[in-house]
Amino acid sequence: MTDATTKIKETVTSNDVVLFMKGTKSMPQCGFSSRVAGVLNYMGVDFADVNVLADDGIRQGIKDYSDWPTIPQLYVKGEFVGGCDIITEMTLSGELDTLFEENGVAYDKDAAEKIREANG
């Protein structure tokens, strides 16, 4: 296992929710990362953010780890959930709420409903 793979595995297993993204949750550096971080922030989800732009090993390593070619990547309880399009669909369908509830992740259900109302 490479150092990057070890670091990725430790990060996804030691945090309930992790977003590998371009930039940080307070300063995203791409539209897709901004959208997913924005949804999580709005819903009040406590998540760890990993800026892949700060480490090329992590940037490529996360793609290899998940076998998913794009960033951002969301993990819940160590499991890869998806990228921007999947998270957007799951948010609008209510599947993300269910995933959080099943995994004991705290979030603001009213905020999730507001997202769906605004995009319905």
Side-chain angles (χ1 to χ4, degrees), residues 59-96:
R59 186 176 187 170
Q60 183 56 48
I62 194 61
K63 295 175 186 180
D64 297 337
Y65 184 84
S66 63
D67 199 24
W68 190 260
T70 59
I71 308 288
Q73 293 186 14
L74 182 67
Y75 288 77
V76 175
K77 295 285 186 167
E79 297 295 320
F80 175 60
V81 179
C84 184
D85 290 346
I86 291 170
I87 301 309
T88 300
E89 289 172 22
M90 289 178 74
T91 303
L92 297 178
S93 72
E95 286 178 81
L96 193 61

Side-chain angles (χ1 to χ4, degrees), residues 6-23:
T6 303
K7 189 172 178 182
I8 290 165
K9 187 171 180 60
E10 286 173 358
T11 301
V12 300
T13 56
S14 64
N15 295 282
D16 286 349
V17 182
V18 182
L19 181 63
F20 288 84
M21 62 184 292
K22 293 178 181 174

Side-chain angles (χ1 to χ4, degrees), residues 3-4 6 8 11 21 25 27 40 42-43 54 61 67 76 78 85 87-88 93 97 100 102 114-116 120:
D3 288 345
T6 303
I8 290 165
T11 301
M21 62 184 292
K25 59 178 147 185
M27 193 182 293
L40 296 174
Y42 188 75
M43 290 173 63
D67 199 24
V76 175
D85 290 346
I87 301 309
T88 300
S93 72
D97 300 39
F100 288 154
E102 289 173 347
K114 285 179 185 166
I115 292 171
R116 284 188 282 282

